[in-house]
Amino acid sequence: MHPVRSALALAGLLVSTALAVPAEVANPTEHHPVFECNLPVHTERLPTYALGHSLVFPQDKLQAIIKGAAGGGARIDEREDDSGRYWYSRETLVGRFDKKTNETFVLPDLPSLKPGDIKLNGELLKILMADRSIIANDKTLAGIVIGSRLDGSRQVLRKEPSPPASYLLEGAVRRAIPYESASHPVCGPGSQAVFSFDASGNIRGLRHAWKPATSQGTSLQPLRPDQIRARIAEKLAESGLDGNATVRHVDLCFYDSGAAHIQPVFRFNATVRSAGGPATALLVGYIPASDKGALEPLPNITNPDRGALPGPSLPQYDPGLNATRSPRSATTLARLPGPSRRDGAIALGRYLMNGDGLSPTFIEEGWGLWSGLHSASSRFVDAQYYWDDARGYNEWAWYYVNNVDVAFSDGHGWPHHFLTNGGLPGGGTVTISSDLYAKGFGASAEGRGLSYWILGECSVIPAPTDFPAGQGHLAFDPWWKVFDGGMRAAVGYRDLAFTNPPKWSEVGMALGYGASVVHGFMSTMLPTGKTSAVTRCGRDGETIFQVGGLGKPDCLTIWWYN
Ligand SMILES: *[C@@H]1O[C@H](CO)[C@@H](O)[C@H](O)[C@H]1NC(C)=O
Ligand SMILES: *[C@@H]1O[C@H](CO)[C@@H](O)[C@H](O)[C@H]1NC(C)=O
Ligand SMILES: *[C@@H]1O[C@H](CO)[C@@H](O)[C@H](O)[C@H]1NC(C)=O
Ligand SMILES: *[C@@H]1O[C@H](CO)[C@@H](O)[C@H](O)[C@H]1NC(C)=O
Ligand SMILES: *[C@@H]1O[C@H](CO)[C@@H](O)[C@H](O)[C@H]1NC(C)=O
């Protein structure tokens, strides 16, 4: 995500003025990551904070936002269970309040959005920020920044795509901590207050989680730059990524876990080269800012309890199926494995890149997605779980990707390409669409018929604006063949994205409760990178339970965040 950090300084965010020293004092004999950034220098003792109970977003304001998000006139049904309250417009989830965490989100009804020149509604934001049940009255700072902008373009078959237009703009409240006469960002999943505005200045979306913080004094001595460098190298070595990682940025931020503390940390981001192919991915990591260690656990780059390994790819199954590589025969097709459509089962297939330094993270993300879906609804079936293989999208698509309702691929990627196996020459590259099954994916091709394709790889769904002016059709071109099979939507990223297993669980839950696949994905995953999606025109509001046969499309929409 690249939010523009200028903006309406309502409560004034100062720029950090910390000194910086160059990081590179290379020891060529040592196995170490490359540092291409400065390291921060801080000397004053660092403050820590204790968090109180989560605020509950005021119900009257929430009701008004939910009505607006659903496009005004639509009827809203409220449902409730042990874990939360849910608001639906027809069958699509537009809002959720989590009773355990007090977190709230509202998603806009995409089909009802109108394009326009969007500005933040500063007056309304001021009123919301002044509400003590939205932003706590405490010694931390809060300021408004302009967040991401949702753009879209559609292409009617054999016509030029429509000029890109804007549909939503985020105004985000950024929390910060005063330290060494500057203000330093609060980072981590804990504090969020993001409002999405439409072209008429109405709020159409919301993410909110906030806890008041009490100062616990300033007791921690910050690490010196050489210590910071060594700790980051250790952290990368723990995950086995040190040889292929380049650290791009290190700064001081205050990590809000959303649990008990806001604690100072050094945050770093790094690019990680793929095995086999030319791709890179991003990761973000945190080390405690002092020698005293962490007040509460910080997320690790890899987690040893990530879940079972995927099954070996290709083809181990039924000798009868194995004998015929051709799916043409009706008896072969009739014997395809998978849960019954009649029971309303939604079959999930997960295909993860093998042979790469980040493969353990891809596994963790795959389990995150499954646990989220599964916790939201018992209709999901974990039908396929394999190491990825390029043939699963082509000659074996009828058995793999096109024999599930929802496919999740994860690995490294770049525009219209992704890698499946770092151990193969070229990394087992799949090019969209020349390496895909010729009839595309969906009910018109052999197999169950894919409805939704979730691409966890970086950059696979570029936007028309990622191509030279007048060449926007290049963003659409390869997708026509894929959708000709009847598929409903593909969601992913248009740019580099950060790995983040907990977010995959969150998005699984949002989709499992019935959020629009397109915008539920794009909005939930936005903190990890610029999300994007390709969908059939007018079907952007469909949920993961709307599966099955559609014919060839005559219009496609691409949505993307800036
Ligand atoms: C959520 O809000 C309620 C009511 O204010 C409060 O009792 C509860 O502790 C809050 N939950 C959390 C996790 O802080
Ligand atoms: C790394 O983090 C810094 C500060 O948060 C940010 O400005 C920069 O864009 C990030 N780099 C990447 C590659 O995302
Ligand atoms: C770096 O990637 C290469 C493949 O490109 C792999 O062989 C090697 O083991 C990796 N090294 C580390 C330390 O991750
Ligand atoms: C990260 O790893 C360390 C050491 O292996 C462990 O103590 C810590 O609890 C882990 N953190 C999380 C959030 O799992
Ligand atoms: C299926 O075919 C593959 C090669 O295409 C072979 O390696 C495998 O052993 C076969 N499996 C069975 C059960 O015959």
Side-chain angles (χ1 to χ4, degrees):
M1 189 168 59
H2 295 265
V4 181
R5 295 191 195 268
S6 59
L8 294 168
L10 286 188
L13 281 180
L14 304 171
V15 175
S16 165
T17 53
L19 294 166
V21 295
E24 197 51 8
V25 195
N27 176 352
T29 58
E30 205 182 302
H31 190 58
H32 68 90
V34 178
F35 280 76
E36 281 186 3
C37 60
N38 294 324
L39 293 172
V41 184
H42 295 286
T43 50
E44 278 177 27
R45 286 180 175 271
L46 289 155
T48 59
Y49 294 79
L51 292 169
H53 294 302
S54 285
L55 302 180
V56 176
F57 198 90
Q59 291 304 300
D60 52 336
K61 292 194 172 87
L62 179 60
Q63 292 300 336
I65 291 173
I66 288 171
K67 268 214 183 72
R75 207 188 89 190
I76 306 291
D77 292 320
E78 185 175 334
R79 299 175 202 167
E80 186 160 0
D81 67 14
D82 290 346
S83 66
R85 295 168 69 197
Y86 311 85
W87 292 271
Y88 289 86
S89 167
R90 293 177 300 277
E91 285 308 301
T92 307
L93 180 79
V94 291
R96 172 162 189 258
F97 170 73
D98 187 314
K99 288 182 183 169
K100 291 199 186 79
T101 62
N102 290 350
E103 288 172 24
T104 306
F105 73 72
V106 177
L107 298 166
D109 172 57
L110 277 195
S112 68
L113 290 178
K114 301 273 185 300
D117 177 20
I118 311 181
K119 299 198 172 53
L120 298 188
N121 185 335
E123 287 307 306
L124 186 50
L125 278 170
K126 246 189 231 172
I127 294 169
L128 292 166
M129 271 185 76
D131 188 326
R132 296 307 177 204
S133 353
I134 297 177
I135 306 297
N137 183 17
D138 61 21
K139 293 281 164 33
T140 65
L141 308 174
I144 290 172
V145 295
I146 296 179
S148 305
R149 192 183 72 225
L150 178 70
D151 286 357
S153 163
R154 51 167 59 189
Q155 183 179 34
V156 173
L157 188 63
R158 286 185 281 272
K159 298 261 165 52
E160 280 302 305
S162 64
S166 299
Y167 291 82
L168 288 174
L169 180 65
E170 289 184 347
V173 181
R174 286 285 147 79
R175 198 173 203 177
I177 301 291
Y179 165 71
E180 284 185 342
S181 66
S183 133
H184 298 267
V186 168
C187 51
S191 303
Q192 295 184 59
V194 182
F195 303 90
S196 293
F197 290 90
D198 68 12
S200 315
N202 298 317
I203 295 182
R204 301 289 293 260
L206 164 71
R207 293 197 300 277
H208 180 260
W210 207 278
K211 288 182 169 184
T214 336
S215 169
Q216 295 180 301
T218 51
S219 57
L220 301 176
Q221 185 60 44
L223 297 177
R224 295 185 314 268
D226 60 313
Q227 294 173 307
I228 297 172
R229 186 175 187 283
R231 298 287 157 77
I232 292 175
E234 268 167 37
K235 194 88 182 172
L236 286 164
E238 258 171 38
S239 60
L241 288 167
D242 45 344
N244 290 326
T246 304
V247 179
R248 304 279 175 189
H249 190 88
V250 185
D251 67 355
L252 172 72
C253 68
F254 287 81
Y255 189 85
D256 179 349
S257 61
H261 293 281
I262 297 183
Q263 60 175 320
V265 299
F266 289 108
R267 165 176 63 181
F268 61 96
N269 61 24
T271 48
V272 183
R273 268 179 296 128
S274 67
T280 54
L282 295 174
L283 59 83
V284 61
Y286 307 91
I287 55 164
S290 87
D291 254 337
K292 290 248 165 65
L295 281 182
E296 58 188 336
L298 293 167
N300 292 320
I301 293 170
T302 51
N303 168 11
D305 303 322
R306 66 187 78 95
L309 294 179
S313 57
L314 286 195
Q316 295 257 333
Y317 351 101
D318 193 326
L321 283 178
N322 211 14
T324 78
R325 281 203 165 213
S326 157
R328 308 281 182 269
S329 116
T331 44
T332 308
L333 283 171
R335 292 173 56 209
L336 279 177
S340 162
R341 268 259 161 76
R342 259 177 317 192
D343 302 336
I346 304 291
L348 173 71
R350 293 174 295 160
Y351 314 99
L352 310 177
M353 181 182 178
N354 199 354
D356 187 82
L358 283 176
S359 291
T361 308
F362 304 143
I363 292 173
E364 212 183 334
E365 294 187 325
W367 282 112
L369 179 68
W370 166 248
S371 72
L373 289 168
H374 184 60
S375 71
S377 167
S378 56
R379 285 176 63 183
F380 295 101
V381 176
D382 181 20
Q384 298 195 8
Y385 179 47
Y386 294 111
W387 287 121
D388 211 352
D389 189 309
R391 292 167 294 181
Y393 302 88
N394 197 332
E395 70 260 40
W396 282 94
W398 60 279
Y399 193 96
Y400 287 99
V401 73
N402 205 46
N403 196 34
V404 293
D405 299 303
V406 180
F408 171 64
S409 319
D410 204 5
H412 284 277
W414 66 102
H416 295 147
H417 293 79
F418 62 93
L419 299 178
T420 55
N421 186 345
L424 296 176
T429 307
V430 173
T431 305
I432 296 171
S433 62
S434 55
D435 292 334
L436 305 182
Y437 185 55
K439 286 191 196 168
F441 298 153
S444 325
E446 293 82 3
R448 186 182 181 89
L450 183 68
S451 290
Y452 300 104
W453 189 4
I454 302 173
L455 292 137
E457 301 92 351
C458 294
S459 316
V460 183
I461 309 182
T465 46
D466 295 326
F467 294 89
Q471 307 276 298
H473 66 91
L474 294 175
F476 287 90
D477 288 349
W479 294 108
W480 284 98
K481 180 175 138 188
V482 189
F483 278 79
D484 273 352
M487 194 173 87
R488 288 169 184 249
V491 296
Y493 296 94
R494 63 176 279 233
D495 199 355
L496 294 183
F498 287 103
T499 56
N500 189 334
K503 276 281 165 198
W504 285 97
S505 159
E506 220 180 284
V507 80
M509 253 210 270
L511 301 190
Y513 278 113
S516 126
V517 174
V518 168
H519 200 252
F521 177 89
M522 288 183 68
S523 157
T524 309
M525 298 310 283
L526 188 50
T528 64
K530 295 176 186 176
T531 46
S532 53
V534 195
T535 182
R536 289 160 176 267
C537 297
R539 290 185 175 269
D540 346 73
E542 291 190 339
T543 77
I544 202 165
F545 302 105
Q546 290 171 278
V547 295
L550 296 174
K552 293 189 179 193
D554 52 17
C555 176
L556 293 178
T557 303
I558 298 184
W559 291 101
W560 68 96
Y561 268 108
N562 287 286

